[in-house]
Amino acid sequence: MNQTISKKPRVLTNIFLHLHPANVREDAIAFNRTFGLGGMAALLIVIQFLTGIMLRFYYEPFPGLAYDSIVLLQNNVLFGKLIRNIHHWSGVFLVIITFLHLLRTFFTGAYQSPRQVNWIIGLLLFALVIFSNFTGYLLPWDQLAYWAITVSTSILQYIPLVGNSLREFVIAGTEVNADTLLIFYNLHSAVLPILILLLMAYHFWLVRKAGGVIVPNDAEEINIVPSYPNLVYKEGVVALVLIALILVFAVFANAPLLEVANPNYSLNPTKAPWYFAGIQELLMHFHPFFAGFFIPLCAIVLISIVPFLKYREPATGKWFHSEKGKSSSKLSAVFAVILILSLVLLSEYVVNFELLLSALPASISNGLIPLAIFISIIYIYYIFIVRKYKLSRTEAVQAMFVILISSLIILTLIGIFFRGVDMELTFPWNL
Ligand code: HEM
Ligand code: HEM
């Protein structure tokens, strides 16, 4: 490379070098290595912190005042509506971008050694991001907020033994009330931001400790270039594009605000916040213990243990690992989409296990049995795909991960766009 490589770390003279090493591998900063997704998530968090602090100047976390404080902020405060819209849309973007970053790290094999712990830290960060969005959702104290939090916290009661007490603990009572609002507000604007900051710092440190982001292990030529300007300029461009996109959304699409919360009159349909729409959709098909607790728990455990399985070969650092990794992932995505769509339609219009096997308790007829059938289908598919492509352990895990993620995406999309009045299946234009 013909650019001058920095000889001494300029940490003291350049703020960006606190985050980056002075020099980096050129292939590590190629755009299609990370798509800048981790950096975008970090920027969105900064935006949330800044706009959140501004919102705090007007927001009042008490049922009689909260809604009015938002109306006042929107109508009487210079740029109040814009700031609220930016906070709203950055929250939505943050979930999507963090999810895409999770997919990026997975499909380049960055969850494997030596980055296993960072995968877990990432998952915790994701949970905090979801929880931040969730606690923020209640704050406007309108009908949407009140009922969305009511239905999603009611899912907690399906957790065996501790479910009811847990729900009462989370919402500080038997229904969403003034204490819930105050607790959610403090979690949202103090506790969660601190946890996010701490974990984010640790996450970044672990990236540095692992020697930067993962790169293909069979690169023919290794070029080293200074981070500044090579990396920092690219990050600047990504940041500007992201900020522009958020501004477009914030200017043209308002954050929702219905009428003030009314505990005596529920919305129809009452939908959970969009990132929980997949679980709410599962509840339409399975016994609540399985839909609200067992299946999500299994999914979380599976995603968490993925880095700790025994892999024979080190991660290649290539997208999808290999050509057969790519083909088997594509096939698995198509398989999952067709399977989930067919099962949703079957369960909605054709088969009702609870009626069909009415002699059995609902947890077996509408829980254990359909789940066993589903797992058998996936197992048969697993045997088929491993044999068809002669998959290695990494590629086989990848194919199963694709099925899990595709199923989650399909269920979430159905929940958001295809459930109308009385939670009946419908088309988005009839919503
Ligand atoms: C990861 C960080 C954060 C996320 C994902 C997030 C997300 C959200 C969401 C989704 C809402 C509801 C907005 C709406 O649609 O009306 C909200 C509201 C709010 N947030 Fe945050 N937030 C974050 C950080 C913060 C911080 C750090 C503060 C303050 C220090 C804050 C203060 C507020 C306030 C006062 C509201 C109520 C105003 C409103 O609802 O428009 N947020 N937040
Ligand atoms: C608030 C959320 C998050 C932020 C701000 C964040 C930020 C970052 C950044 C800036 C990087 C380095 C550059 C890049 O890959 O884009 C990174 C790497 C990494 N992140 Fe995250 N991340 C977050 C969530 C997650 C999640 C949900 C996961 C996965 C479960 C994850 C796993 C990883 C891993 C394994 C690496 C190392 C990647 C590699 O070596 O190639 N992160 N993260």
Side-chain angles (χ1 to χ4, degrees):
M1 231 8 249
N2 42 15
Q3 291 181 60
T4 341
I5 295 170
S6 299
K7 292 190 188 64
K8 53 176 188 221
R10 288 173 295 160
V11 168
L12 292 178
T13 54
N14 188 329
I15 187 170
F16 294 107
L17 296 179
H18 286 284
L19 284 175
H20 299 307
N23 303 304
V24 279
R25 272 177 67 159
E26 199 174 28
D27 49 359
I29 60 170
F31 183 60
N32 64 1
R33 185 100 296 262
T34 65
F35 292 106
L37 291 163
M40 285 195 235
L43 173 64
L44 286 167
I45 286 179
V46 172
I47 294 177
Q48 287 307 71
F49 281 29
L50 295 179
T51 49
I53 290 170
M54 292 186 210
L55 291 171
R56 274 188 67 131
F57 282 98
Y58 281 89
Y59 182 74
E60 310 246 20
F62 309 100
L65 303 172
Y67 182 81
D68 290 343
S69 69
I70 302 260
V71 174
L72 178 87
L73 172 90
Q74 296 206 140
N75 299 339
N76 296 11
V77 179
L78 188 63
F79 295 128
K81 195 173 206 166
L82 183 71
I83 298 296
R84 173 163 187 250
N85 287 350
I86 294 178
H87 199 73
H88 172 82
W89 285 112
S90 301
V92 174
F93 273 55
L94 184 57
V95 176
I96 298 172
I97 298 273
T98 309
F99 182 68
L100 292 177
H101 170 64
L102 181 155
L103 297 187
R104 185 303 273 176
T105 51
F106 182 84
F107 290 119
T108 52
Y111 60 92
Q112 289 184 20
S113 171
R115 297 176 174 84
Q116 294 111 317
V117 174
N118 220 9
W119 174 260
I120 301 294
I121 300 297
L123 286 180
L124 289 175
L125 273 169
F126 194 38
L128 288 176
V129 162
I130 295 282
F131 205 34
S132 293
N133 265 296
F134 184 67
T135 46
Y137 210 102
L138 182 65
L139 304 186
W141 200 255
D142 62 344
Q143 279 288 73
L144 195 64
Y146 184 88
W147 288 103
I149 301 302
T150 299
V151 0
S152 30
T153 49
S154 70
I155 298 177
L156 288 174
Q157 75 204 23
Y158 303 121
I159 299 177
L161 304 177
V162 294
N164 274 326
S165 335
L166 185 66
R167 175 168 189 267
E168 283 178 24
F169 174 72
V170 169
I171 60 175
T174 48
E175 54 188 45
V176 174
N177 58 38
D179 290 339
T180 324
L181 182 57
L182 197 58
I183 292 174
F184 272 40
Y185 173 69
N186 284 310
L187 287 173
H188 185 79
S189 63
V191 180
L192 295 171
I194 293 174
L195 292 178
I196 289 182
L197 273 187
L198 291 176
L199 272 190
M200 225 164 73
Y202 188 44
H203 193 60
F204 293 169
W205 183 72
L206 286 175
V207 174
R208 286 286 294 265
K209 199 167 159 240
V213 298
I214 191 164
V215 274
N217 57 12
D218 59 355
E220 283 166 12
E221 196 190 348
I222 298 176
N223 282 333
I224 306 287
V225 294
S227 305
Y228 183 85
N230 299 273
L231 172 57
V232 175
Y233 275 22
K234 268 187 196 163
E235 289 175 333
V237 172
V238 169
L240 288 179
V241 171
L242 181 63
I243 291 172
L245 199 65
I246 290 171
L247 280 178
V248 169
F249 270 82
V251 168
F252 293 108
N254 287 329
L257 189 69
L258 304 185
E259 57 280 16
V260 65
N262 180 354
N264 301 317
Y265 170 71
S266 72
L267 288 179
N268 186 0
T270 300
K271 290 196 180 184
W274 65 272
Y275 32 85
F276 290 147
I279 298 185
Q280 199 181 16
E281 179 59 31
L282 264 188
L283 279 163
M284 310 294 299
H285 309 287
F286 277 102
H287 182 273
F289 165 77
F290 287 91
F293 175 68
F294 188 72
I295 298 176
L297 180 72
C298 289
I300 292 171
V301 169
L302 286 176
I303 290 188
S304 311
I305 61 168
V306 146
F308 304 100
L309 302 174
K310 286 263 166 296
Y311 299 97
R312 277 182 210 98
E313 64 295 325
T316 57
K318 291 199 186 91
W319 276 93
F320 299 99
H321 200 63
S322 61
E323 277 310 313
K324 49 190 176 110
K326 215 178 272 175
S327 312
S328 53
S329 294
K330 269 191 214 153
L331 187 62
S332 303
V334 174
F335 170 75
V337 172
I338 295 175
L339 179 70
I340 299 296
L341 284 180
S342 324
L343 291 181
V344 166
L345 292 175
L346 271 179
S347 130
E348 188 79 10
Y349 299 116
V350 188
V351 192
N352 184 334
F353 280 103
E354 221 170 322
L355 284 184
L356 210 65
L357 307 165
S358 51
L360 296 172
S363 57
I364 296 185
S365 63
N366 198 27
L368 214 51
I369 292 179
L371 185 64
I373 295 177
F374 180 73
I375 292 176
S376 312
I377 298 175
I378 299 294
Y379 183 66
I380 294 169
Y381 174 79
Y382 175 80
I383 304 281
F384 158 78
I385 192 117
V386 168
R387 290 203 183 142
K388 176 174 162 69
Y389 289 101
K390 301 198 173 41
L391 297 182
S392 69
R393 174 74 61 83
T394 308
E395 292 154 348
V397 167
Q398 182 172 265
M400 292 299 108
F401 181 83
V402 168
I403 292 194
L404 184 67
I405 295 294
S406 311
S407 309
L408 175 69
I409 295 175
I410 292 296
L411 288 172
T412 305
L413 291 178
I414 296 177
I416 298 175
F417 296 112
F418 294 88
R419 289 278 171 195
V421 174
D422 293 336
M423 292 302 275
E424 297 283 347
L425 273 186
T426 182
F427 287 104
W429 47 91
N430 294 334
L431 284 181

